[in-house]
Amino acid sequence: MARAETSKGSIQRGNTLPNGDIYVGSFDGLVPHGPGKYMWTDGALYDGEWDKSKMTGRGLIQWPSGASYEGDFRGGFIDGAGTFKGVDGSVYKGSWRMNKKHGMGTMVYSNSDTYEGFWNEGLPDGFGKYTWADGNVYIGRWKSGKMNGSGVMQWINGDTLDCNWLNGLAHGKGYCKYASGACYIGTWDRGLKDGHGFFIGPDCLQDSEVDKDSVYEREYVQGVLIMEQPKNEDSRMSESGIAQENNWEKQAKGPMETIYKGHRSYYLMLNLQLGIRYTVGKITPVPLREVRSNDFGPRARIKMYFPCEGSQYTPPHYSVDFFWKDYCPMVFRNLREMFHIDAADYMMSICGGDSLKELSSPGKSGSIFYLSQDERFVIKTLRKTELKILLKMLPKYYNHVKAYDNTLITKFFGVHRITLKPGRKVRFVVMGNMFCTELRIHRKYDLKGSTQGRSTKKQNINENTTLKDLDLSYVFHIALDCMFLESQSIIDYSMLLGIHFRAPNHLKSITSCQNALESTGISAETECSVALHHEETISSKGFLLVAADEPGPAVRGSHIRGSMVRAAEGGYEEVDLVLPGTGRFRVQLGVNMPARARKVQEDVNVEVENRDTIEEYDVVLYLGIIDILQEYNVSKRVEHAVKSLKFDPLSISAVDPNLYSRRFISFLEKVFPEQD
């Protein structure tokens, strides 16, 4: 073994270590320190600086595979700035942290693709530019190695798409401009156009104005164009006014507004969050027990005063002083347990750092609706009479939902009251959101069974419209029952039905035709009309059903309990719903329910001659019974008597609970008929 004196405290020597590795360089005592070379038994070689037995400073490491790294090391890790050359010819030059690409860097892949931007834990994350070898370019946000957030895709043919992205696919609002000059403004869902939007032809801009004849309103389902009509405008409009005139942004955003500081509901939201956090936190440590008779009624409550400066029992806060009342806390605690809602998740969903969203009411009650940021829970303001009805029916309601796991009746999770000075009282109920799903709800229907005043004007229908009975043009194979509500003398309830359409494969086959025509500015509906009716040999199914016991995770519905639905197509076994390109979902009553919808004639008296021409769709259903807090009281009896003078007594909503229930069930049996 050679040995030579070097600088103070440092000895240069070569040595074969007990594990067979070889080190040649400087030591400090018995550990490598300073410049030196280290060769592992597998052939890997490091030549660079050491600090107390750790690779630290500048150095070069070469692996037996042919890969190499030259740059900074820290504490035995690749850490700092450096260049990595892969065995496949790829090259990364940029920042590192603990052996992973982290920070700003440029990667040239083996296929000549290039990414320049920010990295996190070895993957593109943050703002970056990706250039494909064929010339396509994406500039925008990334997350965990995939396009995620706002960004612009530029294709080599001149098309561009400015959109929100999710897991590498266009998802959300977007603006697509084609090389021809045509453009489409609308929404995308996992890479496919989905929902309403506007197509503007390439030659419509003349003298900074848009020719109304070149603007088309469109609706897509899973990338398939199902509706196109000229935009109905009274006059020409300026290019800068397109968004305002078309009102596209409002349609895309929906009827929701995040509550911000200065919003009319801001302090009300803060008070609600403070109160729920307090009472849920107070009741949760109490041992779970069966409810008793004294747990019900208006006297079963928690009352507390919340001054801004705080008190012995309440924290200081930035809202206004208020009084809080929590009704029947033990009952609703047990209801939340029934539906497997964790107390911490419940508080985080409603009372976390995020604001609530305020929704416009689809009904005539004047109630204000709020939605938690994760959209699991809906909070609705109540009239005093509705509160009384809810508390009155609560014992029977509790027993009903306890006895019937698969009930479709509204799930109630809490009832509260806030009193503001000088005596203004606001009452709330917290409910489960039946449309809490990652799937887009293309159609919403509010079904009662009555016909008087139940039609929605066609020109007002879009994804954010809750349709009413006479607009329903689809029939589903399903049925349900509502005897409990009749026993409580409740009327005016309805079934809220949400429909997610799955585009059949034989319609998806023409998507490429539509996209090609759009880039040239030709109306896709006109040119593809023949293809729409062309016989295809491939399967038309928009989803698959697999046995629930087959391996693989399935997404469950939020706050849903009870047995799974058995499908006839699955041999009457419990099944999961597999949506190609989307995911696997647990099928339960009211949630993720696969069905076949067929469009019926507008005139029900006209018989279809050729049953093979009936338009059918694969759909996923979400449904539940809502608005269950209206009794058939004196005012409703008077309403029935007055309206019966002008309209058919059987067609109006205000009728005897027994008749209402029978009519409701009869209507649903027509909508959801038994299979032939």
Side-chain angles (χ1 to χ4, degrees), residues 12 15 161 203 240-241 270 345 388 491 517 540 600:
Q12 177 127 15
N15 198 2
L161 175 58
D203 301 321
S240 61
L270 292 182
D345 290 342
K388 288 183 176 180
I491 64 169
L517 290 169
S540 64
V600 301

Side-chain angles (χ1 to χ4, degrees), residues 114-370:
T114 303
Y115 172 78
E116 181 180 3
F118 288 92
W119 298 72
N120 183 38
E121 295 295 313
L123 296 171
D125 199 299
F127 189 83
K129 176 182 178 181
Y130 194 102
T131 303
W132 282 264
D134 59 10
N136 297 333
V137 177
Y138 170 81
I139 303 174
R141 307 293 301 182
W142 293 76
K143 185 175 181 180
S144 301
K146 295 183 179 180
M147 298 178 289
N148 211 95
S150 59
V152 179
M153 175 71 80
Q154 301 172 335
W155 284 273
I156 193 172
N157 65 358
D159 295 349
T160 63
L161 175 58
D162 186 347
C163 190
N164 193 69
W165 300 78
L166 179 68
N167 293 327
L169 299 172
H171 189 82
K173 297 181 297 180
Y175 173 85
C176 185
K177 186 173 182 179
Y178 302 99
S180 64
C183 66
Y184 177 77
I185 305 170
T187 55
W188 277 255
D189 184 80
R190 296 178 182 83
L192 299 173
K193 296 186 184 74
D194 202 65
H196 286 266
F198 295 95
F199 176 77
I200 303 172
D203 301 321
C204 64
L205 293 177
Q206 298 175 3
D207 300 326
S208 299
E209 291 188 331
V210 175
D211 184 354
K212 64 183 178 66
D213 293 330
S214 298
V215 179
Y216 295 87
E217 183 177 0
R218 287 183 172 180
E219 182 179 7
Y220 287 87
V221 171
Q222 310 267 274
V224 176
L225 180 65
I226 64 170
M227 183 276 290
E228 179 180 72
Q229 61 186 17
K231 178 63 180 172
N232 185 18
E233 299 287 351
D234 294 332
S235 60
R236 298 162 75 90
M237 55 187 178
S238 67
E239 182 180 10
S240 61
I242 293 175
Q244 289 81 4
E245 293 293 331
N246 287 339
N247 206 20
W248 168 75
E249 287 198 3
K250 285 187 178 180
Q251 291 189 26
K253 291 179 180 177
M256 290 190 293
E257 181 180 26
T258 298
I259 299 174
Y260 52 88
K261 190 172 183 179
H263 190 279
R264 64 181 179 275
S265 297
Y266 179 70
Y267 290 114
L268 198 61
M269 176 193 73
L270 292 182
N271 296 347
L272 179 69
Q273 292 175 325
L274 281 165
I276 290 178
R277 190 182 296 116
Y278 172 81
T279 52
V280 174
K282 187 177 179 67
I283 197 71
T284 300
V286 177
L288 190 65
R289 61 169 174 80
E290 187 50 79
V291 295
R292 304 164 185 154
S293 58
N294 60 358
D295 291 321
F296 295 94
R299 294 187 178 276
R301 62 198 180 199
I302 295 176
K303 297 177 66 176
M304 187 56 62
Y305 176 56
F306 284 77
C308 293
E309 64 274 12
S311 69
Q312 181 181 355
Y313 305 103
T314 63
H317 57 86
Y318 296 101
S319 185
V320 296
D321 298 350
F322 68 98
F323 290 90
W324 172 261
K325 182 184 287 188
D326 186 41
Y327 294 94
C328 307
M330 183 57 73
V331 176
F332 287 107
R333 184 262 182 96
N334 282 22
L335 285 171
R336 293 192 295 268
E337 290 283 346
M338 279 186 200
F339 290 100
H340 312 295
I341 295 175
D342 180 76
D345 290 342
Y346 184 72
M347 286 193 290
M348 283 301 299
S349 178
I350 299 174
C351 314
D354 293 325
S355 295
L356 302 176
K357 304 173 188 176
E358 185 173 301
L359 292 80
S360 65
S361 170
K364 300 179 181 179
S365 65
S367 296
I368 300 174
F369 290 78
Y370 303 99

Side-chain angles (χ1 to χ4, degrees), residues 519-628:
S519 64
T520 61
I522 299 175
S523 169
E525 183 182 56
T526 301
E527 295 300 318
C528 288
S529 59
V530 175
L532 279 169
H533 300 287
H534 180 64
E535 292 286 345
E536 295 289 337
T537 58
I538 60 175
S539 171
S540 64
K541 295 295 290 181
F543 54 70
L544 302 173
L545 297 179
V546 299
D549 55 4
E550 285 189 11
V555 178
R556 285 183 174 271
S558 180
H559 50 72
I560 295 296
R561 66 192 184 113
S563 60
M564 296 172 57
V565 172
R566 298 177 184 270
E569 187 173 328
Y572 293 99
E573 296 294 330
E574 293 181 346
V575 295
D576 284 344
L577 174 66
V578 176
L579 305 180
T582 303
R584 179 170 172 172
F585 299 83
R586 186 60 36 91
V587 180
Q588 292 176 276
L589 191 61
V591 175
N592 303 326
M593 296 184 64
R596 173 62 61 89
R598 63 181 175 87
K599 196 166 186 177
V600 301
Q601 295 291 322
E602 294 290 338
D603 185 352
V604 296
N605 295 318
V606 176
E607 187 172 349
V608 180
E609 294 183 2
N610 186 359
R611 293 284 175 181
D612 294 334
T613 63
I614 295 177
E615 203 172 323
E616 290 193 341
Y617 299 90
D618 289 319
V619 297
V620 183
L621 305 183
Y622 297 83
L623 50 92
I625 299 175
I626 63 170
D627 297 337
I628 64 172

